Amino acid sequence: MAVIALLATLAVPAVEAITGANARKAAGELAGSMRALFDTAALRHATCRMALDLDKRAYWAECAPGRAGISANPDREPDDRTLEERFPGEKDADVRRILAKSAFGQFQDRLVQKRELPGTTGFGPVHVEGRRDAIESGTAYVYFFGGGQAQRAYVPVVDGKNLYTIVLEPFTGRARVVSGKVEVRE
């Protein structure tokens, strides 16, 4: 009995990776979280964002009260080196300056909890409206605005050869999961 239980324990993760169950489940949960965050931002008239940590294979929601805040001390800008240390995943200096001025904090809700991707599932290159290049490492942010809008985003969830892409529509907040790679619309 013990040998059979051990073999079953070892076989389940391998079967999930082969069938793509982990990637499919993770993509569905992330799409649901994005839809909930779109609704939250619209109802609360707040600016929220979904943070996708591509290196640690995790995601969570952050919201700013009202519109995204600007620093209370705009005359004192942090130097570029400090900003590089604070936002190591962001390569664009202008985006780092904007991020430093925001007042985002982690958003706590049972529908949008911090989660790690299961098994060997990870993120592929994330495309976000307003960014020229795909984000391949560090933290990618997808923004949701109080006026009932979001950034168009394409978020691939990959497990081995299994690929599911979450496509977030900007005006409806619809986050649909598509099997395979999706051509990015500019």
Side-chain angles (χ1 to χ4, degrees), residues 51-129:
L52 307 166
D53 189 332
L54 306 181
D55 301 326
K56 294 181 181 172
R57 302 174 24 250
Y59 62 91
W60 62 91
E62 299 176 340
C63 288
R67 297 177 188 256
I70 301 296
S71 173
N73 195 354
D75 298 330
R76 187 169 174 250
E77 292 268 344
D79 65 322
D80 288 337
R81 185 171 181 213
T82 302
L83 292 175
E84 284 177 5
E85 291 171 3
R86 187 169 166 203
F87 304 103
E90 183 54 57
K91 293 177 179 36
D92 186 25
D94 293 331
V95 173
R96 284 194 299 264
R97 283 188 204 94
I98 291 169
L99 290 172
K101 293 180 180 182
S102 69
F104 285 92
Q106 189 159 359
F107 176 67
Q108 299 292 332
D109 186 272
R110 67 179 179 83
L111 296 175
V112 187
Q113 298 177 6
K114 182 174 183 175
R115 297 186 185 208
E116 292 182 12
L117 298 178
T120 59
T121 305
F123 293 109
V126 176
H127 293 269
V128 179
E129 182 178 34

Side-chain angles (χ1 to χ4, degrees), residues 34 52 123-129 134-135 140 142 151-157 164-170 176 178 181-186:
M34 288 179 154
L52 307 166
F123 293 109
V126 176
H127 293 269
V128 179
E129 182 178 34
I135 303 161
V142 180
Q151 285 180 302
R152 180 182 306 278
Y154 300 88
V155 181
V157 178
Y164 294 91
T165 304
I166 302 162
V167 179
L168 179 66
E169 299 296 336
R176 59 188 165 96
V178 178
K181 186 175 180 177
V182 174
E183 187 172 328
V184 176
R185 291 187 336 203
E186 294 297 326

